[in-house]
Each structure stands twice: as structure tokens, then as C-alpha cells.
Amino acid sequence: MVFAATPLNTNNILTDQPGWVTMITIVILLVIALTMMAYMTYYERKVIAFMQDRLGPTRTGPRGLLQPAADGVKLLFKEDIIPVGADRWVFFFAPIVVFVTALTSFMLLPLGGRWYLPLTPNWHVNLFLTDLNVQLLAILALGGIGVYGIILGGYASGNRVSLIGGLRAAAQVISYELILGLALVGMILLTGSLSLNRIVEWQQQHVWTILFQPFGFLLYLIAAIAETNRAPFDLPEAENELTAGFHTEYSGFRFSMFFLGEYINMLVVSGVAATVFLGGWSGPVLPGPIWLFIKMLLFMFIYIWLRATLPRFRYDQLMGIAWKVLLPLTLLNILVTAAIKLIVNSL
């Protein structure tokens, strides 16, 4: 969230805040991202425990609420082991790529619109860091860069199963990244913008795009789960085949960066889905960021639900679904959406 009041002196929201406000915003967004990520692990453990008739975390703090802090301390003080055959510099650099790209993507998410302070109509608070004309494209591009960290981590470990995990991640992300982007094209045709703020404004003036693009939403959901390497598409890790896949040789804070990156990426794709298809921060009574958080929780619940109920796909099934089923369906969705919009505009 962007939480500093600045005088409204221009219509360009990219330049109407001084640099110190932007720095404060970045720090606040860092705290929000890391806090949300930590408590998403708690949320996941509690939901899966409920589905399996267990209690989940209960001992660390009231109702186990301090469990994420305990996990963080444990990871911080674990021994950092570097294999003898590893490429040391690449081994060190790979998890940083995953973590930094995920965190940067999160910072591009608008957590709300522009809020004018009461009794001071010329002052406002931006609940977003910036508003790029190609904001959605930038988030997709950062997601594509993040996979390089997984590939490099698998290669640099000097371990065969880690290398196989990295190669699987490369093929999987290349396949499903295409579907993820194409699933959003129908919505872009409707709203005419790649700016997440403009997309939310369009939905506020019309209706949530999920009503126009239910098929695109379903395709996005499937591709997003595969893009973030989550069950039932977690083939790059596949414990029963590859031990832990690309991060088998990682421990301590280096492993925690992969872990943080994975969960922050889940928050990012959930935030994009909530913003693009469910109106983002728009909603009655409650503040905008609360509405966005509730909608993101819905998507995170779907992640957890699928993990708890579905078995892992075989790798050939995973790739076959992408190229033989989902890709033709996304192209068909684009063609139908474009044809309908052309017909409506010609009336």
C-alpha cells in the first residue's frame, strides 16, 4: 500500500509523489508482502489440518499464531551447506533471483485506488506504488525471469536430480506462461488496457470481467497453479521422484529464499486474478485493501484445496494438457471474445 499523503498537483500519478514517499511505500510493501507470505503458510497448514481432521499448529503462541515466526528463526539458524561439486557463485545467486523477482512483482500490485483525505480535498493517499501502462505485462515478464533462478539452482547444485528438476521447471513454465498470458488477452480486449488500475476502474463502471470471461478465468486459474509449481503440478519438486527437485541441495537461508519466492508468487497470481477478474479492491462498506485481501484468500484456498485433494500429474500428462488442450482453448477464447466485441461495436 502507498500510505503517505501528498498534495495533488498533477494528473500524472507516476510523478505526483516525492521520492521519500516512494521509499516509505517500498518499505511498507516489503513488510506487507513478507507478513502475508508468512501467515499464508499458517493458513495453509490450518486448512489442510481441517481437511485431514487434525488441529495443525497449536503450541507456538495463542492458537499457533507465532508458528511462522518460529519457522523463520529455525531456517535462519540452520546450517548453510554448499555441495563440493556446486558452482558456488551461481548456487548463491539463484535463490536471490527467485526471491527478488517475486517481491518486485508483488510491489506492482495495486492494493487500492487513490484515497482523498477527509477535510483536506487537495491531499490524497495512493494505495499503489506506481501505475504503469504495461503493468500486467511487467508482472508476467518478472514471472518469466524468476524461472531462471530455478534453472540456475538446479544446474549449480551439481546434483542430477536437481538438474532434472530445473529442466522440468523450465519446460513447465515456458508452456504454462504462454497460456497464462493468453488467458488474460480476452479481458484486455474488453477493458482496452494493461494497467491494473484502469482494469479495476472499468469493472467499477461496468461489471466484473469474470462474468464476461468465465472461460478465461478458468484457464488462468489452471495456468497459474502450474506456473507457480504447486500441486497437482509440482513436478519440478516431485518428492517421490526427485527428493526435492531443484532445491534438494539447498538449506538454511538459501532454501528460505526459494520458499519465500514460491509463496509470494502465489500471492501475486492470486492478486492479479482478484484484480483482473473480480474487481480488485472494489466492494461495499469495507476498505478497498480488505476486499482485495478477501478475494486473494479465496484463490489461496483453491491452491490449498487442490493440494489436499488431487494426486500429482505425470510429466507427460502435464505437458500434453498444456499444448494439446489448454493452448487451443485459450486461442478459441480470444477469437470468440474478439468476434463478439467486433459485432457489438458495429451495432
Side-chain angles (χ1 to χ4, degrees):
M1 293 163 132
V2 177
F3 309 96
T6 56
L8 181 61
N9 53 23
T10 176
N11 292 323
N12 185 351
I13 58 179
L14 288 173
T15 59
D16 68 350
Q17 294 189 145
W20 64 270
V21 173
T22 301
M23 294 305 299
I24 292 174
T25 300
I26 291 172
V27 172
I28 294 173
L29 280 170
L30 278 170
V31 173
I32 291 174
L34 296 177
T35 303
M36 287 182 68
M37 173 268 150
Y39 278 93
M40 281 305 154
T41 63
Y42 175 82
Y43 175 59
E44 180 174 26
R45 293 168 75 171
K46 278 292 190 181
V47 171
I48 290 180
F50 174 78
M51 290 180 174
Q52 296 175 349
D53 197 22
R54 297 185 290 107
L55 293 178
T58 58
R59 299 301 182 94
T60 313
R63 305 183 72 85
L65 286 171
L66 295 180
Q67 187 64 49
D71 292 340
V73 172
K74 180 190 72 172
L75 283 171
L76 186 63
F77 287 98
K78 269 183 173 279
E79 183 180 2
D80 179 33
I81 300 171
I82 301 178
V84 174
D87 185 325
R88 296 180 66 90
W89 285 107
V90 179
F91 189 83
F92 173 80
F93 183 66
I96 297 175
V97 173
V98 175
F99 176 68
V100 170
T101 53
L103 202 56
T104 306
S105 298
F106 184 88
M107 289 190 174
L108 291 177
L109 288 176
L111 304 187
R114 176 177 286 179
W115 178 58
Y116 290 91
L117 300 180
L119 305 178
T120 53
N122 292 328
W123 289 68
H124 69 279
V125 174
N126 289 341
L127 301 181
F128 51 87
L129 178 62
T130 186
D131 182 22
L132 303 175
N133 292 331
V134 290
Q135 201 165 3
L136 192 55
L137 185 62
I139 291 174
L140 293 175
L142 285 167
I145 294 172
V147 73
Y148 284 100
I150 296 176
I151 298 169
L152 291 172
Y155 156 76
S157 297
N159 184 310
R160 292 179 182 178
V161 295
S162 296
L163 179 59
I164 293 172
L167 293 175
R168 282 187 175 187
Q172 181 171 323
V173 171
I174 288 171
S175 301
Y176 282 90
E177 189 177 39
L178 176 63
I179 296 160
L180 190 75
L182 291 176
L184 297 171
V185 171
M187 174 279 308
I188 295 169
L189 289 172
L190 286 175
T191 60
S193 178
L194 287 166
S195 163
L196 293 177
N197 288 53
R198 303 293 178 267
I199 290 169
V200 174
E201 290 172 4
W202 187 93
Q203 292 177 88
Q204 289 173 332
Q205 296 168 6
H206 298 84
V207 70
W208 290 358
T209 55
I210 191 173
L211 299 178
F212 290 116
Q213 286 287 298
F215 204 50
F217 170 74
L218 181 61
L219 292 167
Y220 175 87
L221 183 63
I222 296 171
I225 294 169
E227 178 81 1
T228 50
N229 300 323
R230 291 284 296 184
F233 303 132
D234 56 340
L235 274 300
E237 299 175 25
E239 294 87 352
N240 55 342
E241 302 172 34
L242 304 179
T243 310
F246 62 89
H247 57 67
T248 297
E249 301 292 349
Y250 281 89
S251 61
F253 78 96
R254 300 182 204 273
F255 167 77
S256 68
M257 284 192 176
F258 279 122
F259 187 73
L260 288 166
E262 178 180 319
Y263 275 83
I264 293 173
N265 275 326
M266 290 165 61
L267 290 171
V268 170
V269 297
S270 298
V272 169
T275 303
V276 167
F277 293 102
L278 296 180
W281 63 82
S282 59
V285 184
L286 297 175
I290 301 298
W291 274 114
L292 181 63
F293 179 67
I294 291 171
K295 294 169 186 177
M296 289 172 67
L297 272 183
L298 172 63
F299 288 98
M300 294 299 295
F301 176 78
I302 294 173
Y303 266 109
I304 299 165
W305 184 19
L306 292 176
R307 177 185 173 183
T309 55
L310 293 181
R312 183 180 295 120
F313 280 78
R314 291 201 321 262
Y315 195 70
D316 60 316
Q317 292 174 330
L318 175 75
M319 301 305 291
I321 290 171
W323 294 102
K324 298 177 183 177
V325 179
L326 297 181
L327 181 59
L329 289 177
T330 53
L331 295 175
L332 179 63
N333 182 60
I334 293 170
L335 287 173
V336 171
T337 304
I340 292 174
K341 184 170 184 180
L342 183 63
I343 293 169
V344 170
N345 290 343
S346 64
L347 295 178

